[in-house]
Amino acid sequence: MNTENKQCNPVLLIHGIDDTEAVFHKMRAHLIQRGWSVYSLDLVPNNGDVGLDELAKQVADYVTATFGSEQRLDLVGFSMGGIVSRYYIQRLGGINRVQRFITISSPHHGTVVAYGSWRPGCVQMRPDSIFLKDLNSDAVIILGQLDFTSIWTPYDLMIVPANSSQILVGSEVIVPVALHPWMLTDSRSLAVVTAALAEQIKLPFLKKVSSQ
């Protein structure tokens, strides 16, 4: 995609549980080749041993240390990383820095897979958790202030039910890949992310749904 004349903010990639920033190797190369400056960090610990609010503080600290105070940026969060990013945006002032926000297969309404662990971060990702209820209480109001896109697959076995990745704000794109990790490498996902990052800044208060 030609990004000439587009407002290309720096892009910060936030990984999921049990991942590191290396999970974005293909997406990073794809975006750099098309003209974006791409950043990422390793959330520590990455296994749910601490709450997602604690991980979001790492994102906030990274943004403060890496970008100038006036620099706006775009955020891409995969799986748990999308919820960590939401906490940063909704509770730690990220709404004042982020212009475009993309979540990829994130459990906005929880996943039953999280019942398999009592680690604090996993408990927060259970359906109807206090943590998610709080974030969802003002999601439309806050996320509606930026360009938000949710990308998900109906075949997800990590986000159960898969439509937990749906959220009633911004744009929604269904990419029907077979496996959760493939959402970061499938050419259709990469195309959706690229297109969303290249969009002119607007206020997406009306929900849009499409399939790839």
Side-chain angles (χ1 to χ4, degrees):
M1 174 176 291
N2 182 5
T3 60
E4 186 177 359
N5 298 325
K6 301 291 184 182
Q7 182 181 342
C8 290
N9 291 330
V11 179
L12 178 57
L13 308 175
I14 308 298
H15 66 77
I17 195 166
D18 292 328
D19 288 330
T20 68
E21 60 88 21
V23 76
F24 290 111
H25 66 281
K26 187 171 183 178
M27 182 176 292
R28 175 195 290 273
H30 179 88
L31 293 174
I32 290 174
Q33 185 179 29
R34 286 156 179 78
W36 273 276
S37 297
V38 182
Y39 299 80
S40 59
L41 71 156
D42 287 333
L43 301 175
V44 180
N46 66 353
N47 62 353
D49 270 349
V50 301
L52 308 192
D53 47 327
E54 291 297 319
L55 298 180
K57 292 175 184 176
Q58 296 179 28
V59 175
D61 290 344
Y62 181 88
V63 170
T64 298
T66 306
F67 305 104
S69 60
E70 302 301 317
Q71 176 66 60
R72 304 302 294 272
L73 63 145
D74 298 337
L75 206 54
V76 179
F78 171 59
S79 195
M80 178 191 75
I83 308 303
V84 171
S85 298
R86 280 186 58 191
Y87 193 90
Y88 163 64
I89 290 170
Q90 294 178 238
R91 298 291 179 263
L92 300 179
I95 187 63
N96 299 315
R97 302 295 300 266
V98 176
Q99 287 191 311
R100 300 178 185 89
F101 177 37
I102 301 168
T103 60
I104 304 172
S105 292
S106 291
H108 295 298
H109 299 282
T111 172
V112 299
V113 174
Y115 284 110
S117 172
W118 281 97
R119 292 171 175 170
C122 296
V123 171
Q124 289 175 331
M125 287 189 287
R126 293 176 179 178
D128 297 319
S129 72
I130 294 173
F131 181 83
L132 288 177
K133 283 183 176 179
D134 174 65
L135 278 186
N136 290 332
S137 68
D138 57 7
V140 172
I141 294 172
I142 297 181
L143 298 183
Q145 298 176 45
L146 43 74
D147 280 43
F148 174 65
T149 303
S150 172
I151 307 171
W152 65 286
T153 173
Y155 307 118
D156 208 318
L157 296 179
M158 285 294 293
I159 310 303
V160 181
N163 63 4
S164 175
S165 294
Q166 292 181 296
I167 186 169
L168 296 176
V169 62
S171 300
E172 174 188 337
V173 183
I174 299 170
V175 182
V177 304
L179 295 175
H180 187 72
W182 292 0
M183 291 295 287
L184 296 182
T185 57
D186 188 277
S187 61
R188 292 166 295 181
S189 295
L190 297 178
V192 173
V193 170
T194 303
L197 292 174
E199 283 282 346
Q200 293 186 351
I201 298 297
K202 59 186 182 302
L203 294 178
F205 288 104
L206 297 178
K207 184 174 176 63
K208 298 180 295 183
V209 181
S210 60
S211 298
Q212 297 295 311

